[in-house]
Amino acid sequence: MKARITVTLKKGVLDPQGKAIEGALGTLGFEGVGGVRQGKVFDVELAHDDKEKAETDLTAMCEQLLANTVIENYAIEIL
Amino acid sequence: MKARITVTLKKGVLDPQGKAIEGALGTLGFEGVGGVRQGKVFDVELAHDDKEKAETDLTAMCEQLLANTVIENYAIEIL
């Protein structure tokens, strides 16, 4: 079973990397870019096929390792 | 208009960061994790509402700045 976890910065948290990308896009001539926020994505392959157990496990993985829940949100998507 | 760009490593490209996460998940007691691959996600805010222009622009952004197309794939999703 495959799953995708997307970790993004919470609203209001400064994102200097996103700001840098926004500046670079402007330099390259792209107009009308109102903002860029960068996040992370994790593609996790699980050995079993139990969807409920997978969701519980993936939530625990996010809480314990993959996301800093003080400043980041995470979304779990079973593929 | 908002869009999400997901950049992931191509199949066959080594991902030491993903391997490290896989090891860390094992250490934390998560069993049955067959593999982890890490990628990046960019949430881009565009000033205009022209979907076709947005797709053209976003593809160009990926090719020129956001993805290294030698080793990375990108996916564009208009939200």
Side-chain angles (χ1 to χ4, degrees):
Chain A
M1 178 183 274
K2 286 186 178 187
R4 170 163 283 185
I5 294 164
T6 311
V7 177
T8 48
L9 282 172
K10 283 185 180 169
K11 224 181 143 178
V13 178
L14 284 180
D15 180 7
Q17 209 170 352
K19 276 278 166 216
I21 294 164
E22 197 182 324
L25 288 173
T27 310
L28 285 172
F30 292 104
E31 283 168 24
V33 177
V36 180
R37 307 272 291 168
Q38 188 174 354
K40 286 174 280 187
V41 65
F42 303 96
D43 288 321
V44 182
E45 178 113 31
L46 296 169
H48 58 82
D49 266 331
D50 181 345
K51 203 172 165 179
E52 269 184 40
K53 180 170 157 41
E55 271 179 15
T56 317
D57 276 3
L58 290 165
T59 307
M61 288 177 196
C62 290
E63 294 281 342
Q64 289 176 42
L65 183 75
L66 301 177
N68 175 357
T69 50
V70 177
I71 56 165
E72 290 172 329
N73 290 322
Y74 60 84
I76 295 166
E77 194 187 344
I78 309 271
L79 305 174
Chain B
M1 178 184 275
K2 284 186 178 186
R4 170 163 283 185
I5 294 164
T6 312
V7 176
T8 48
L9 281 172
K10 283 186 181 170
K11 224 181 142 177
V13 178
L14 284 180
D15 180 8
Q17 209 170 353
K19 277 278 166 216
I21 293 165
E22 197 181 322
L25 288 173
T27 310
L28 286 171
F30 292 105
E31 283 167 24
V33 178
V36 180
R37 307 271 291 167
Q38 188 174 355
K40 286 173 280 187
V41 65
F42 303 96
D43 288 320
V44 182
E45 177 114 30
L46 295 169
H48 57 83
D49 267 329
D50 180 345
K51 204 172 163 179
E52 268 184 43
K53 180 170 158 38
E55 270 179 16
T56 318
D57 276 3
L58 290 165
T59 307
M61 286 176 197
C62 289
E63 295 281 342
Q64 289 176 41
L65 183 75
L66 301 178
N68 175 356
T69 51
V70 177
I71 55 165
E72 290 171 329
N73 290 322
Y74 59 84
I76 295 166
E77 193 187 345
I78 308 272
L79 306 174

